[in-house]
Amino acid sequence: MNQVINQGGQEVIGVGRVEGPILVVEGGIDVGYDEVVEIHDSQGQLRRGRILEVGEGMAVVEVFAGTTGLSVDGTRVRFLGGPLHIPVAEEMLGRIFDGLGNPLDGGPQPLTDRYADINGQPINPTARVYPRDFIQTGISAIDGLNTLLRGQKLPLFSGAGMPHDQLAAQIVRQATLGRPAGEASGDSEQFAIVFAAMGVKHDVADFFRHSFTESGALTRVAMFLNLADDPPVERLVTPRAALTLAEYLAFERGMHVLVVLTDMTNYCEALRQISNIRGEVPSRKGYPGYLYSDLASIYERTGRIKTSDGSITQVPILTMPNDDITHPVPDLTGYITEGQIVLGRDLNHNGIYPPITVLPSLSRLMKDGIGAGRTRADHSHLSAQLYAAYAHVMDVRSLASVIGEEELGEVDQQYLKFGRAFEQEFVNQTYTENRTIERTLDIGWKLLSMLPKEELTRVTLEEIEKYYGAGQRDGHASD
Amino acid sequence: MTQQVGTVTWINGPVIRARGSRNVSMLELVEVGEEHLVGEVIGLNGDVITAQVYEETSGMRPGAPVFGTGLPLSVELGPGLLRSIFDGVQRPLPVIEMRLGSFIERGMRLTPLYRKTPWDFTPRVSVGDEVSGGIILGTVPETDALEHRVMVPPDVSGTLTWVAPAGKYTLEDIIAKVRTRSGAERELTMLQRWPVRRLRPYKTRLGQNIPLITGQRVLDTFFPVAKGGAAAIPGGFGSGKTVTQHQIAKWADTEVIVYIGCGERGNEMTEVLQEFPHLVDPRSGRPLMERTVLIANTSNMPVAAREASIYTGITIAEYYRDMGYHVALMADSTSRWAEALREVSGRLEEMPAEEGYPAYLANRLAEFYERAGYVETLNGSKGSVSVVGAVSPPGGDFSEPVTQHTKRFIRCFWALDKALASARHFPSINWLDSYSEYLEDVADWWREEVGKDWYHQRNQAMEILSEESRLSQIVKLVGPDALPDEERLILETARLLREGFLQQSAMDEIDQYSTVQKQIRMLELILHFHQRALRIVKHGAAISVIHNLPSVGTLIRMKTLVPNDQLEKLDDIQKEIDQQMDQLDSEYR
């Protein structure tokens, strides 16, 4: 079932030590760091692995499928003489693969002679094109306040039991290249989608498959599945295999690729497991000191380059253990990605969908993808004003919880009303609702018009003149 | 020059061990494997050499040769540094792009500075002159914004026996010959090399009493850093470290900027690359790129080169300082550099101290920050290197080792605050947690250069802000109505300070840069408003009367309404305030 990348290679029978998914091979071998190995157990079954460390006459190997059934004497290890490669081809869209890139859907191996190293290579910063094209997701809390751009990496920070999968599926379904407000969206240029599941449950994978089928997207989706009961070590390869295909599609075939990785927390746990067994010095919470660099080698495989029209946009999903945003996984992710969309439990309890907690959410690249000619001239100020006003709502709410709502001043009472309306009308929408950017911005202004003009210091006087109260005047509020 | 000194015996990520010669020296540059990957010796034990390799080691095998160079890791210094973008070990990224395309492959050997460019050299010395290290031999207009002063290397002195006449020369052409004391003749070119881990010599350190003007009000007015000083910007993700660093890189009043993107995002470096050539330096009127050297070692580039990038950057900064220039160096982010140290240390299986960091972390940080300074150079001119280091504490928790150790070696601390960033208050520098130890040092400068009593006014404003923080604790418990109107005025003025002064938009054409004159006038207006309002409130006016004055809105918007070259408009605003106050004065007498 596996293609052999490199014919031949040396073979060793018998290993020195087996420990968790780690295998230590001893003997007079000549192998290189990071090479792939094939391992046959005494029954002749094949699994694969990767070299983590080499010394004179010894090599440390991580076995992707785990070491169950391997014996010290009965194991044959074959060194293939190069890093792991996977086939890449356009026809891989519409197919389903396991975490190492082998077909899972009963179909044949993709027909291609193009194999690519799963580790990729860093993009030269001078060869990048700075992302500026806005992606309309049809979700107000994203489009209006945390705009996603082509070539950006914007993760969803979620928690167990929150609808991050629905939100990701909705983004995948609705994402189109944005047009400035007022302009008809012309060609519905659609994304190719590369979906990588790491340690998620069967139901979750099924949910995504259904959602892709329903929206008719399945033919432009390549799925790489490493499910919860699959070997954890394979998880370290899954996102890299997926991104290798994405890079081929984007930078060699000129396609716009949207990559969804779920769930990065499981990936990091697999990494910790390996690090632990190897006895490495841990940094925070037992995660290895190189977690940042390792995550960067995944997240940074995003963007646009000068020599291709294509782009890779990443939407990784991670669940924050115990909803703790300072946990090393979300924390280091936030330092690498260009912002984050944070889902909140309170909003979820209140029945708000999507439960995007606006204040800690951020899109770093937003400033360069919005404004006149891209979305609308007032977008940037409007968004800052909504943020500032909603931040004040939080202060007022905590004050109100102490002294009671009646005791609040008139303006603060208006803020409370604004806050409720903001959550109900701006953030809240349905799973199938696809709002245009214009509609999103108009709702924003309609809500701001609930506050006195004097409070609106982040927007210009001209913008107030043009948009304040507009929603009430000409009934923009209804569709 | 290179000869084999050993063979590889062990490989683990960027760290390798080799067995061989006992004559390799510590921190010597080595080349590893047939591809000649660049590395640096970090440990010697008998005949075992430990080295960190600045490139990806995938596929490397035990038995691969290791070559010694006999030299420590060095940078090339000379005309052509400005406008360049290098990786952590000074390889020119645009050239790599030209040769290899969009992705960085390993094993690329390139000279950092392009050898063939003809530079216009004008000598400043003549035959027979006694010269020593640092003496300026001549000048080259490196960019329209900066004159490059070609200096005698620090370790050379003697009598000039030949000097090239004015004309065009490349970096390899000889421009002067020196007979040294020992009688040997040294040929000098415009190109020098200097080991990155050794600080470049200077004559003496000078006091730091000139502020580094950044055009950012919260920095210049509230927490100034002096030229030659060191400042740190710590903050969790999304709190605006990078934007603040970019703003300083754009507007700082230094002749040269060295910007190190150390383990950060690729798109951010691209943003700088695309934006700086189009932004104009308010002082020279030339594109900002003409005074900038960029060093980009993004997070997915090899980790050991990330460790080197900081040293590469500061050595270049010191080189321009030695010419008598003011240089500002931004390092974004020193935490990534510390993590690179940790990663290498972990692979060496050294005993960890706090959170897995090696015990020598503090030492390394000190060595780096101490290379900042305002000095008299070897040629008697005055120059400075100011260092602004971003720190990325895990979880935004300032008690972690990198932030804590950094605090010991800097005198200016700009604490970023996530809550402010969430409310889109930018720059989100918390005025209560930040500090500057340069306040008294630079007060004289404000008096002499701007003609204003900045120190007094700044402290007055700080008092209002800290009083606000105390009062808002009470407000949180009992609501604002329980406070007497005089105290509510404090809250009102503090709001003016926060929204009208401290908040500054990096995106607004007018607001992104404020001259010191504009800053101090704005501050004066807000304090003037406070004084007048205080009298009226004391005479019994309700706070709502003050709150509803039209001039409140004007004060909040003046930052975007008044351009730097039309400060007389601020006088009009003062008249507007006075008019409205006079009116109230007459009502509440």
Side-chain angles (χ1 to χ4, degrees):
Chain A
M1 107 194 200
N2 281 286
Q3 73 291 337
V4 175
I5 301 144
N6 208 334
Q7 290 293 343
Q10 21 169 357
E11 196 166 292
V12 174
I13 300 177
V15 297
R17 190 155 59 94
V18 182
E19 198 182 333
I22 301 270
L23 201 129
V24 181
V25 186
E26 288 163 355
I29 42 171
D30 172 31
V31 293
Y33 176 71
D34 206 29
E35 278 180 13
V36 200
V37 298
E38 282 181 3
I39 299 143
H40 294 267
D41 60 21
S42 42
Q43 269 76 46
Q45 278 212 326
L46 175 88
R47 47 192 108 184
R48 287 203 277 177
R50 181 168 64 173
I51 296 182
L52 292 177
E53 182 177 330
V54 286
E56 269 176 318
M58 74 86 163
V60 179
V61 177
E62 65 179 12
V63 185
F64 297 141
T67 49
T68 316
L70 292 186
S71 62
V72 170
D73 285 340
T75 304
R76 282 189 298 138
V77 182
R78 208 156 118 106
F79 297 92
L80 296 184
L84 189 59
H85 285 57
I86 63 155
V88 287
E90 237 178 277
E91 56 162 64
M92 287 171 80
L93 290 174
R95 300 283 308 273
I96 302 175
F97 304 91
D98 72 4
L100 297 176
N102 304 305
L104 265 188
D105 51 3
Q109 274 286 344
L111 261 182
T112 176
D113 49 7
R114 188 82 172 73
Y115 287 82
D117 181 351
I118 59 151
N119 293 312
Q121 277 163 332
I123 303 178
N124 189 330
T126 61
R128 282 182 183 267
V129 176
Y130 189 65
R132 286 188 187 277
D133 303 326
F134 122 82
I135 296 174
Q136 182 172 304
T137 64
I139 297 161
S140 291
I142 296 178
D143 291 353
L145 301 176
N146 298 289
T147 318
L148 175 66
L149 306 187
R150 266 189 190 180
Q152 183 174 14
K153 38 193 181 294
L154 190 64
L156 301 181
F157 283 11
S158 184
M162 281 198 275
H164 43 266
D165 295 329
Q166 283 84 334
L167 180 57
Q170 188 173 6
I171 293 174
V172 166
R173 199 173 58 233
Q174 296 181 172
T176 49
L177 179 59
R179 298 259 176 270
E183 267 181 49
S185 54
D187 60 302
S188 55
E189 216 181 322
Q190 284 182 315
F191 288 86
I193 294 143
V194 174
F195 176 85
M198 289 153 287
V200 302
K201 296 191 309 187
H202 283 268
D203 322 2
V204 173
D206 279 344
F207 166 79
F208 277 103
R209 196 163 10 191
H210 275 296
S211 151
F212 296 147
T213 315
E214 268 169 29
S215 60
L218 202 58
T219 52
R220 47 189 176 92
V221 182
M223 296 179 88
F224 290 80
L225 303 180
N226 167 283
L227 301 179
D229 52 357
D230 288 336
V233 186
E234 214 177 275
R235 248 159 246 172
L236 301 182
V237 176
T238 310
R240 295 190 165 85
L243 285 163
T244 305
L245 176 64
E247 277 175 348
Y248 169 78
L249 296 174
F251 301 144
E252 290 183 41
R253 315 300 311 172
M255 303 170 86
H256 294 291
V257 186
L258 184 63
V259 180
V260 177
L261 307 172
T262 181
D263 171 333
M264 289 306 290
T265 308
N266 296 339
Y267 170 85
C268 295
E269 264 158 26
L271 195 69
R272 174 166 68 178
Q273 196 181 335
I274 297 292
S275 163
N276 225 298
I277 291 165
R278 296 182 63 198
E280 291 173 333
V281 176
S283 59
R284 290 174 64 216
K285 299 209 171 176
Y287 289 96
Y290 50 80
L291 182 60
Y292 177 85
S293 304
D294 191 276
L295 283 172
S297 72
I298 294 173
Y299 295 138
E300 275 291 328
R301 292 171 81 174
T302 313
R304 309 190 55 177
I305 58 173
K306 290 178 196 157
T307 51
S308 164
D309 293 332
S311 64
I312 299 181
T313 309
Q314 262 195 48
V315 180
I317 301 172
L318 59 87
T319 45
M320 301 180 278
N322 201 20
D323 292 354
D324 177 11
I325 200 170
T326 66
H327 182 279
V329 177
D331 190 51
L332 294 178
T333 297
Y335 276 120
I336 304 165
T337 54
E338 282 130 0
Q340 64 278 335
I341 303 290
V342 184
L343 304 191
R345 205 149 302 263
D346 288 353
L347 289 177
N348 196 34
H349 283 165
N350 295 340
I352 308 276
Y353 173 88
I356 295 176
T357 315
V358 168
L359 293 183
S361 298
L362 169 74
S363 164
R364 290 168 189 273
L365 303 184
M366 170 176 181
K367 61 185 193 320
D368 298 298
I370 61 170
R374 299 184 181 277
T375 55
R376 204 167 75 184
D378 58 313
H379 190 165
S380 148
H381 288 162
L382 171 65
S383 145
Q385 182 65 64
L386 284 169
Y387 259 103
Y390 191 58
H392 187 67
V393 169
M394 293 299 158
D395 291 343
V396 176
R397 278 186 188 165
S398 66
L399 179 59
S401 69
V402 178
I403 63 170
E405 245 177 68
E406 320 68 59
E407 296 295 314
L408 293 174
E410 192 192 337
V411 175
D412 281 352
Q413 303 245 13
Q414 286 172 320
Y415 267 105
L416 278 188
K417 283 199 194 96
F418 162 81
R420 280 191 289 267
F422 177 78
E423 287 162 5
Q424 288 298 339
E425 295 176 35
F426 191 87
V427 179
N428 193 28
Q429 60 188 91
T430 65
Y431 177 56
T432 50
E433 190 176 355
N434 190 353
R435 292 182 187 159
T436 63
I437 180 67
E438 187 166 35
R439 171 112 178 80
T440 292
L441 298 179
D442 286 346
I443 298 174
W445 274 106
K446 182 188 144 206
L447 298 172
L448 284 183
S449 306
M450 298 170 72
L451 299 172
K453 284 181 189 174
E454 298 72 46
E455 290 292 316
L456 308 182
T457 57
R458 304 293 182 95
V459 290
T460 65
L461 296 171
E462 294 78 44
E463 285 161 355
I464 290 182
E465 177 66 25
K466 188 165 174 190
Y467 296 108
Y468 187 85
Q472 279 93 331
R473 274 205 306 275
D474 52 61
H476 253 295
S478 56
D479 258 339
Chain B
M1 192 154 93
T2 60
Q3 53 171 12
Q4 189 169 345
V5 293
T7 49
V8 173
T9 56
W10 176 85
I11 303 148
N12 183 353
V15 180
I16 62 133
R17 289 214 175 97
R19 192 166 294 135
S21 164
R22 289 169 173 266
N23 290 326
V24 179
S25 46
M26 199 59 183
L27 300 183
E28 178 175 332
L29 199 69
V30 288
E31 293 169 3
V32 186
E34 298 301 343
E35 288 168 293
H36 286 260
L37 306 184
V38 182
E40 192 180 14
V41 176
I42 53 175
L44 293 169
N45 181 4
D47 59 353
V48 177
I49 304 162
T50 307
Q52 57 178 353
V53 180
Y54 293 127
E55 292 176 81
E56 192 53 52
T57 51
S58 280
M60 185 180 288
R61 301 157 177 266
V66 177
F67 304 95
T69 62
L71 294 168
L73 177 65
S74 304
V75 288
E76 285 192 352
L77 302 167
L81 285 170
L82 295 178
R83 277 188 299 212
S84 289
I85 170 162
F86 300 110
D87 77 353
V89 286
Q90 215 198 4
R91 281 178 300 191
L93 289 172
V95 182
I96 294 182
E97 186 195 348
M98 227 159 57
R99 298 261 187 92
L100 292 178
S102 308
F103 297 88
I104 299 177
E105 288 171 35
R106 61 187 184 172
M108 206 53 195
R109 307 291 310 281
L110 292 164
T111 53
L113 296 175
Y114 187 58
R115 295 289 193 270
K116 302 279 184 292
T117 319
W119 296 101
D120 243 323
F121 175 76
T122 313
R124 269 210 205 163
V125 287
S126 37
V127 173
D129 286 359
E130 287 289 322
V131 293
S132 57
I135 295 294
I136 294 164
L137 292 170
T139 59
V140 168
E142 186 174 356
T143 65
D144 287 335
L146 189 113
E147 172 193 81
H148 192 105
R149 297 170 186 154
V150 180
M151 296 171 291
V152 178
D155 53 348
V156 174
S157 62
T159 316
L160 283 171
T161 56
W162 182 79
V163 177
K168 286 196 183 298
Y169 299 90
T170 70
L171 289 182
E172 283 168 339
D173 293 332
I174 292 159
I175 47 138
K177 293 180 187 172
V178 176
R179 173 157 300 119
T180 60
R181 305 258 183 294
S182 62
E185 195 170 66
R186 280 281 296 262
E187 295 174 336
L188 302 179
T189 64
M190 288 188 274
L191 184 70
Q192 301 185 20
R193 302 183 131 268
W194 189 261
V196 295
R197 296 186 197 270
R198 222 165 84 206
L199 65 118
R200 283 177 63 88
Y202 49 80
K203 208 172 273 170
T204 48
R205 273 183 184 264
L206 302 170
Q208 298 155 346
N209 41 33
I210 307 173
L212 177 78
I213 300 301
T214 64
Q216 309 304 303
R217 291 185 292 267
V218 61
L219 305 185
D220 294 351
T221 299
F222 280 86
F223 306 104
V225 61
K227 286 204 171 84
I233 316 181
F237 62 83
S239 54
K241 280 185 302 298
T242 302
V243 179
T244 311
Q245 290 267 38
H246 282 193
Q247 286 304 102
I248 300 172
K250 283 176 194 166
W251 308 117
D253 65 337
T254 58
E255 280 95 0
V256 176
I257 297 284
V258 178
Y259 192 96
I260 309 169
C262 172
E264 289 289 305
R265 305 171 181 89
N267 276 333
E268 273 169 9
M269 291 315 294
T270 311
E271 182 187 3
V272 173
L273 277 176
Q274 296 191 346
E275 197 179 6
F276 275 31
H278 302 292
L279 285 173
V280 170
D281 180 359
R283 280 161 299 273
S284 70
R286 301 294 311 167
L288 281 175
M289 204 60 202
E290 294 197 356
R291 62 165 195 173
T292 309
V293 184
L294 291 173
I295 294 172
N297 213 85
T298 56
S299 54
N300 55 341
M301 283 156 77
V303 67
R306 193 195 299 168
E307 197 262 338
S309 63
I310 292 268
Y311 297 103
T312 301
I314 198 142
T315 310
I316 293 174
E318 284 176 341
Y319 175 66
Y320 281 98
R321 174 204 69 191
D322 290 347
M323 296 179 201
Y325 289 124
H326 293 296
V327 184
L329 175 134
M330 324 292 141
D332 186 12
S333 146
T334 58
S335 293
R336 304 299 159 227
W337 167 78
E339 281 166 13
L341 275 186
R342 175 169 72 183
E343 182 169 344
V344 172
S345 160
R347 292 193 194 257
L348 290 173
E349 295 174 356
E350 291 172 336
M351 179 71 83
E354 296 155 277
E355 294 192 15
Y357 287 104
Y360 47 79
L361 171 69
N363 217 345
R364 293 287 175 86
L365 280 167
E367 277 169 18
F368 169 63
Y369 282 107
E370 279 300 285
R371 285 175 81 167
Y374 190 18
V375 302
E376 187 182 336
T377 66
L378 293 179
N379 58 42
S381 57
K382 287 176 186 167
S384 69
V385 173
S386 315
V387 172
V388 179
V391 184
S392 317
D397 172 13
F398 291 174
S399 66
E400 59 91 37
V402 181
T403 316
Q404 283 307 312
H405 289 308
T406 301
K407 266 182 137 170
R408 293 161 51 198
F409 309 119
I410 46 111
R411 292 179 62 200
C412 190
F413 189 74
W414 298 323
L416 294 172
D417 184 336
K418 194 119 189 204
L420 290 175
S422 289
R424 296 303 188 260
H425 172 118
F426 287 120
S428 53
I429 292 170
N430 185 309
W431 46 92
L432 298 173
D433 296 340
S434 302
Y435 61 79
S436 166
E437 294 175 15
Y438 297 106
L439 292 174
E440 277 107 36
D441 300 351
V442 302
D444 281 344
W445 180 90
W446 279 86
R447 210 167 293 122
E448 286 155 22
E449 299 291 321
V450 191
K452 301 273 187 183
D453 185 9
W454 156 80
Y455 187 68
H456 180 70
Q457 308 225 36
R458 180 252 176 219
N459 286 350
Q460 223 178 324
M462 263 316 277
E463 267 167 43
I464 293 176
L465 287 169
S466 54
E467 183 68 7
E468 181 210 24
S469 142
R470 191 182 67 82
L471 293 173
S472 51
Q473 298 298 329
I474 302 175
V475 170
K476 275 192 190 127
L477 293 176
V478 293
D481 291 339
L483 294 179
D485 280 349
E486 276 173 47
E487 293 193 330
R488 294 190 66 180
L489 178 66
I490 299 261
L491 296 181
E492 198 61 41
T493 309
R495 181 171 87 104
L496 289 181
L497 284 169
R498 282 189 283 112
E499 295 184 15
F501 191 86
L502 294 172
Q503 274 179 22
Q504 190 167 359
S505 166
M507 259 73 81
D508 187 278
E509 203 60 32
I510 293 175
D511 196 26
Q512 58 182 351
Y513 176 81
S514 289
T515 59
V516 282
Q517 285 79 9
K518 180 176 168 187
Q519 296 187 24
I520 191 77
R521 272 301 276 149
M522 284 172 66
L523 192 64
E524 277 175 352
L525 286 188
I526 295 174
L527 294 174
H528 178 72
F529 176 90
H530 181 73
Q531 296 306 341
R532 301 254 358 213
L534 189 62
R535 250 187 57 200
I536 293 161
V537 169
K538 277 185 177 156
H539 280 105
I543 191 69
S544 57
V545 174
I546 304 292
H547 180 88
N548 293 334
L549 281 178
S551 52
V552 169
T554 317
L555 283 173
I556 287 177
R557 288 177 202 278
M558 67 182 160
K559 56 187 180 182
T560 55
L561 295 176
V562 182
N564 286 319
D565 53 1
Q566 297 174 29
L567 294 187
E568 63 280 0
K569 284 192 179 166
L570 290 174
D571 300 334
D572 299 340
I573 295 178
Q574 180 157 8
K575 281 190 201 115
E576 183 193 330
I577 296 171
D578 282 334
Q579 234 165 32
Q580 292 166 9
M581 293 294 179
D582 289 344
Q583 174 77 30
L584 288 179
D585 259 342
S586 56
E587 286 172 31
Y588 294 92
R589 196 156 288 281

